[in-house]
Amino acid sequence: MEQDIKIKIGSILLIIGISTFFLQFLFVLYGFGPIISIIMTLVGYGYLLKGLSYRNRGLAFIISGLCFIIPLVVYISITSNSSIPWADLIITTYLILIFFSILIFILPGIYFIFYSFESDKKEYHGRLVSWLVGITIMTLFCTTIITVAGGAIASSRPGADFRSFFNQNFMVCLGLGFVVGLLLIGLGILSVKAQVSGASVPMGPS
């Protein structure tokens, strides 16, 4: 019964979030509206996954991944046959997003389906997938911020542009993003444990 409630709540939030986001996109509305819609969509997606069985959860992951990957593949084929400025940068970015989509959706989905029949280890498998997805998302988020910030600084210098910075420094930014992502996850875990134990996280020397 509890699983059915999670599925219903997740489905409702997911439909409302996606619908309101596209309505705001069509009417060119900005501000906090789209952000709220995205948050509602993510929360609904999480509730929906929690209510599904491991096998169906894996299928949902794979379908979600394909919904990201297939449009990116189409965009790559269109971009590669056009004269769009900086097409190489666009194609490279799409390939990176496809790679991260595989890590976030496809591989966890296959993992869930493969281990869906091992009931005695389901909790362990769920935690393992959560760590993979969490670290990958934080790495992508931090890498994007570091790359954009570094590219913006590089672009302000004479004779430099974002494309040259990206091509020369992306792997460095990826490594920094991975390290920063792990640090943020570690700080989050420490904060949660400190709140549970009634202690406070040290903020520095007094």
Side-chain angles (χ1 to χ4, degrees):
M1 187 65 181
E2 182 181 353
Q3 301 299 102
D4 293 336
I5 294 175
K6 289 181 180 179
I7 293 175
K8 290 178 181 178
I9 294 176
S11 300
I12 293 172
L13 291 176
L14 199 61
I15 293 172
I16 294 175
I18 294 175
S19 301
T20 54
F21 178 80
F22 278 107
L23 285 174
Q24 292 171 95
F25 179 78
L26 289 175
F27 291 101
V28 197
L29 299 177
Y30 300 101
F32 290 102
I35 298 177
I36 295 174
S37 298
I38 292 174
I39 293 175
M40 187 180 297
T41 301
L42 294 175
V43 173
Y45 185 73
Y47 263 100
L48 180 61
L49 290 179
K50 285 289 186 180
L52 296 175
S53 65
Y54 269 61
R55 181 178 179 277
N56 291 335
R57 193 179 302 180
L59 292 174
F61 264 96
I62 293 175
I63 293 172
S64 301
L66 292 177
C67 289
F68 280 100
I69 293 172
I70 292 176
L72 290 173
V73 172
V74 174
Y75 293 152
I76 288 176
S77 62
I78 294 174
T79 305
S80 61
N81 297 321
S82 65
S83 57
I84 299 176
W86 290 13
D88 57 337
L89 177 61
I90 297 173
I91 292 174
T92 303
T93 304
Y94 288 163
L95 289 174
I96 292 169
L97 291 176
I98 290 174
F99 172 73
F100 274 99
S101 296
I102 292 173
L103 290 180
I104 295 172
F105 294 105
I106 304 299
L107 292 182
I110 295 173
Y111 191 87
F112 271 131
I113 293 174
F114 186 75
Y115 284 105
S116 61
F117 301 103
E118 303 210 6
S119 57
D120 56 329
K121 295 183 178 180
K122 282 185 177 180
E123 184 177 354
Y124 165 77
H125 297 312
R127 289 181 178 178
L128 189 61
V129 171
S130 298
W131 273 100
L132 171 65
V133 173
I135 292 173
T136 305
I137 291 176
M138 287 304 300
T139 300
L140 175 61
F141 177 74
C142 295
T143 301
T144 301
I145 292 178
I146 294 171
T147 306
V148 172
I153 295 173
S155 301
S156 63
R157 300 172 182 173
D161 55 30
F162 182 81
R163 178 170 57 177
S164 61
F165 171 84
F166 184 92
N167 293 333
Q168 296 172 10
N169 301 285
F170 175 75
M171 294 306 297
V172 176
C173 295
L174 179 62
L176 289 174
F178 178 72
V179 173
V180 174
L182 287 179
L183 289 174
L184 291 176
I185 290 175
L187 288 174
I189 293 174
L190 289 176
S191 299
V192 171
K193 287 185 176 180
Q195 291 175 3
V196 171
S197 62
S200 59
V201 179
M203 301 302 293
S206 57

